[in-house]
Amino acid sequence: KAGVTQTPRYLIKTRGQQVTLSCSPISGHRSVSWYQQTPGQGLQFLFEYFSETQRNKGNFPGRFSGRQFSNSRSEMNVSTLELGDSALYLCASSGGLAVISRSYNEQFFGPGTRLTVL
Amino acid sequence: SQKIEQNSEALNIQEGKTATLTCNYTNYSPAYLQWYRQDPGRGPVFLLLIRENEKEKRKERLKVTFDTTLKQSLFHITASQPADSATYLCALDISTGRRALTFGSGTRLQVQP
C-alpha cells in the first residue's frame, strides 16, 4: 500500500504571497490532518478533515485554511505569508472512524513540505 | 491548556544499553498516549499506543509504560543499536475520536557504537 504523499517537497516563497500544499492519504483513509513543525514550537496541529468536512482546528490564524476532496485528497492554503510561516508542513492520514480503536488512532505521516518564506 | 514535556536534552547511550525516555503531561487525562519516531527531514513514524487502562505495552525491543496517577509515560528501547538514533516524540489525542494529536517537543536519542 502506498504511503502518504505530499507535494511539493520544497517550496520557496516571499512574504505576502500565498501557497497551496497538497496531500494524498493512504488509499482507504478518510481522515487527513495537517501539522506545522518548527524548531521553536515543535509539531503543532493545524486542522483535521474527514469526509470533506473540517472536524477539528488548532490555534492558528485564519490565514491557514484547508479543504478535502471527495477522494480524500487534501490541500492546505496559507495566504499572506509571513517569515514565521517557514516550517515543515506535515500531513497525516488515518482510518477515520469516529471510534477509539487501536487501528484508527495510528496516524501515518507523509514526508512533509519544507516551506521557506523569504 | 494541556502541556506535554519531554527531556529536550539529547540522550547519549552506548550500544547494547537500555534507553529510557520520559514524557510528562499536565492538565489533561488522555484516554491513550502514542510514541513516534522521527528521523531528520522525515515525517514521524508511529511506534506504539498505550491506553489509560494499560500499564505496559511491548513491541519487540520497545516497551512503554503509562502511569495516569503520575501523568507520565516511559519509553524504553532495550539492546539499543546505532540505528535507533532518532528523535522520539510522545503525543496525546486531545479530542476523543478525532486525530488532533498534541506532541511533546521530542527527545533526541544518540546510540554510540
Side-chain angles (χ1 to χ4, degrees):
Chain A
K1 202 181 249 191
V4 177
T5 58
Q6 292 187 246
T7 56
R9 291 294 311 279
Y10 302 91
L11 206 50
I12 299 176
K13 293 285 188 179
T14 56
R15 281 181 297 174
Q17 287 187 309
Q18 76 163 16
V19 67
T20 299
L21 312 181
S22 181
C23 170
S24 292
I26 290 172
S27 178
H29 283 189
R30 296 163 64 188
S31 171
V32 173
S33 298
W34 287 89
Y35 295 84
Q36 180 196 66
Q37 186 172 34
T38 60
Q41 298 297 319
L43 259 171
Q44 292 186 287
F45 172 75
L46 280 158
F47 29 65
E48 186 233 356
Y49 285 87
F50 179 79
S51 293
E52 303 178 66
T53 300
Q54 187 183 90
R55 292 203 300 185
N56 212 347
K57 189 176 189 304
N59 189 27
F60 278 81
R63 299 185 298 107
F64 292 81
S65 63
R67 60 177 175 168
Q68 187 179 34
F69 302 95
S70 58
N71 62 357
S72 293
R73 190 177 70 84
S74 177
E75 290 181 345
M76 69 162 280
N77 184 77
V78 187
S79 62
T80 320
L81 284 166
E82 302 177 359
L83 294 179
D85 297 333
S86 294
L88 179 67
Y89 289 88
L90 292 158
C91 161
S93 76
S94 64
L97 288 187
V99 294
I100 298 177
S101 67
R102 183 175 307 175
S103 61
Y104 294 110
N105 287 301
E106 172 183 350
Q107 294 202 41
F108 297 84
F109 283 84
T113 295
R114 173 73 63 184
L115 171 65
T116 302
V117 182
L118 303 176
Chain B
S1 62
Q2 60 275 348
K3 187 176 178 183
I4 304 175
E5 292 184 343
Q6 294 185 256
N7 191 342
S8 59
E9 293 184 11
L11 178 63
N12 291 287
I13 64 168
Q14 209 66 30
E15 182 176 6
K17 301 291 185 183
T18 296
T20 299
L21 286 68
T22 304
C23 176
N24 295 294
Y25 59 92
T26 59
N27 299 333
Y28 191 64
S29 298
Y32 51 90
L33 183 147
Q34 302 182 35
W35 283 89
Y36 287 78
R37 167 185 173 143
Q38 187 173 25
D39 291 284
R42 298 193 170 197
V45 175
F46 173 82
L47 296 174
L48 281 168
L49 177 152
I50 186 166
R51 301 181 187 283
E52 61 179 341
N53 60 351
E54 297 175 317
K55 297 298 183 186
E56 181 179 299
K57 179 71 68 70
R58 292 176 184 261
K59 179 183 176 182
E60 298 173 352
R61 294 184 295 111
L62 309 180
K63 185 179 84 171
V64 173
T65 63
F66 194 12
D67 189 324
T68 55
T69 301
L70 292 178
K71 293 188 182 294
Q72 180 182 79
S73 175
L74 298 179
F75 177 80
H76 307 271
I77 305 176
T78 58
S80 59
Q81 305 165 1
D84 295 326
S85 299
T87 296
Y88 292 86
L89 302 153
C90 69
L92 307 176
D93 191 325
I94 63 174
S95 182
T96 300
R98 299 180 178 181
R99 259 56 61 181
L101 288 177
T102 298
F103 283 84
S105 56
T107 297
R108 178 168 166 71
L109 172 66
Q110 189 70 39
V111 181
Q112 306 291 343

